[in-house]
Amino acid sequence: MLNIQFALDYIAHRINAKTRHGVHSPFVYKLIDEVIYDFKDKPEYKSIEELRKNLLQDHRNITITDLGAGSQLNNQKVKAVKELAKNALKAPRLAKLLFRLVQYTQPKTLIELGTCLGITTAYLAKADENLQVITMEGCPQTAAVAQENFNKLGLKYIQLEVGNFDERLPVLLQNKQQLDVVFIDGNHRKDATLNYFNWCLPKVHENSLLIFDDIYWSKGMKEAWAEIKAHPQVSVTVDLFWIGLVFFKKGIAKEDFKVKF
């Protein structure tokens, strides 16, 4: 039933979403034109996608510690790395978009909740090798494979934190003066998602970007996304169905956009 609702949500989104030509906001038009619809290949993509291919052939089994809402596909405690690579990793098209969003926003610091096997983290980090990337993962054995992958790609400037987001994120945020980019891809529950959003709010600034993954994953996630869009500090949101972008720009009208991707 859940998959049927997800499909219906996707169809509705495709019907209602716009391309760059249906958007009248100069800021969002530029974002769509220069970032979201920039499908040109980039040299940084190659090594990460080669690693993805290797992970899809990795028969090792690891024990999953799932602190979030779990998987809709396979909730077994022991999973093969290749199954995680097949079902849990961001598709190349989406991971490449995250790379471009980081290049566009030029953050000094980036926090990711939900490392998984580290493929998306690698895209985020490769966007700017001077960027401080902190990624958090709840499962120790998954995190260990991610660290292997960072080492293979030569990404030595990624700080990998292992533990419960609800416990570790508030401590991490206490030591940050401001947040530039935060990618929230873990614990797909309404209350948890809203907690992460509210914890981040005191540290956001005009150029901050919060990215929420799987905003149509469940009824609760759709409700969380609706509350985030309505928050008075939020000025612009872009709903790409797979992810939602949240901006805090000053001096522009509050507006929500659905964009085909």
Side-chain angles (χ1 to χ4, degrees), residues 41 45 49 91-101 123:
D41 203 17
Y45 299 164
E49 287 308 313
R93 191 165 178 263
L94 190 55
K96 292 171 183 179
L97 171 59
L98 294 169
F99 172 96
R100 299 193 299 272
L101 284 166
Y123 270 104

Side-chain angles (χ1 to χ4, degrees), residues 69-130:
S71 167
Q72 293 180 338
L73 296 171
N74 183 354
N75 260 326
Q76 294 177 1
K77 291 294 183 184
V78 176
K79 295 182 183 179
V81 171
K82 67 176 187 176
E83 291 301 317
L84 275 180
K86 178 182 177 182
N87 297 322
L89 293 183
K90 291 284 165 291
R93 191 165 178 263
L94 190 55
K96 292 171 183 179
L97 171 59
L98 294 169
F99 172 96
R100 299 193 299 272
L101 284 166
V102 172
Q103 282 200 328
Y104 177 74
T105 52
Q106 298 184 318
K108 294 180 180 177
T109 60
L110 185 149
I111 296 173
E112 177 189 37
L113 299 185
T115 315
C116 195
L117 300 176
I119 290 295
T120 301
T121 319
Y123 270 104
L124 297 169
K126 283 264 192 179
D128 182 351
E129 297 198 353
N130 295 313

